[in-house]
Amino acid sequence: MLPKRKLDELLPVRFRNGEQVKQFSKPCVRCGTMLQARDMEGAARLVEDHLAIAATARCPKCGDSFGIACVVDNTKRVRRVIIPAWAFGLYLRNLPTQAGELNPASAPDAARPQSEPDTPPSQPPRVEHRNVVRADELVGRYGDKPIPAWVVVDGAQLNFERVELGDRVAPGEFLLDGCLVYRAA
Ligand SMILES: [Zn+2]
């Protein structure tokens, strides 16, 4: 497992799209003082195209300490992770060094029980015949493909999440046109 480190030693982190996270700050939950990466200790790791942060912040002003668990995407949008910071930190520090293992669906086949010898190894079925409605509103283009801001798949609205080239789609995500990933907000 990786040791806990001060977050300012782990930054900056650069995403594949060139965006960089140089600073990470958060107000103290008790007194509101803005804490910086140097006031936080834990793990910050690039997982696919997200920077995952799990840390304990200690306020130099009031002495309070609290957990931080969040994910920063490659547009620097920060989202909270809804599991305790310590559990997320253990997970992150135990994560193998190569990226791409956040998604359990992409775990190696060796972890699964052996199938019957005469059964050919099968890919997970890709559902292509779903009822998909594309938004007219576009958030951009990828090559010559317009990127709808959202899609409605079988009645559920999903928002554009990212462009995916490695075919890594997590449970609950929907792959449009083979490279655009959508998920529930
Ligand atoms: Zn404080």
Side-chain angles (χ1 to χ4, degrees):
M1 196 193 306
L2 297 177
K4 290 186 184 182
R5 308 242 331 249
K6 292 261 187 201
L7 290 199
D8 61 344
E9 296 167 11
L10 299 170
L11 299 178
V13 167
R14 184 188 287 274
F15 295 110
R16 274 177 296 184
N17 67 0
E19 284 281 7
Q20 252 191 106
V21 177
K22 292 184 206 150
Q23 268 302 333
F24 184 76
S25 53
K26 213 163 177 45
C28 171
V29 292
R30 188 158 155 206
C31 73
T33 299
M34 193 55 86
L35 306 187
Q36 304 297 328
R38 64 174 174 273
D39 304 314
M40 304 170 192
E41 190 176 65
R45 298 188 68 181
L46 203 55
V47 179
E48 305 204 344
D49 231 6
H50 291 77
L51 174 63
I53 294 176
T56 303
R58 186 172 300 276
C59 177
K61 202 157 197 176
C62 74
D64 202 19
S65 66
F66 57 96
I68 295 170
C70 66
V71 165
V72 186
D73 73 12
N74 64 8
T75 62
K76 300 197 199 173
R77 219 155 29 125
V78 179
R79 270 171 270 175
R80 272 186 62 197
V81 172
I82 315 296
I83 63 172
W86 65 264
F88 192 50
L90 272 182
Y91 162 75
L92 275 186
R93 286 157 61 217
N94 273 311
L95 201 64
T97 23
Q98 73 267 39
E101 310 230 345
L102 184 58
N103 169 12
S106 69
D109 283 359
R112 292 188 201 148
Q114 286 288 337
S115 55
E116 301 279 281
D118 57 347
T119 309
S122 57
Q123 294 285 356
R126 176 137 300 160
V127 183
E128 298 286 8
H129 306 290
R130 296 168 76 178
N131 179 17
V132 179
V133 179
R134 294 163 188 247
D136 290 330
E137 181 192 338
L138 303 180
V139 292
R141 289 185 165 270
Y142 178 64
D144 58 351
K145 284 186 215 299
I147 303 176
W150 45 266
V151 292
V152 175
V153 180
D154 294 340
Q157 181 173 332
L158 307 175
N159 293 333
F160 176 67
E161 175 77 8
R162 65 180 188 278
V163 170
E164 177 58 64
L165 302 179
D167 220 25
R168 289 189 296 256
V169 180
E173 292 183 339
F174 174 75
L175 192 64
L176 183 73
D177 296 342
C179 61
L180 305 177
V181 176
Y182 289 78
R183 66 180 302 157

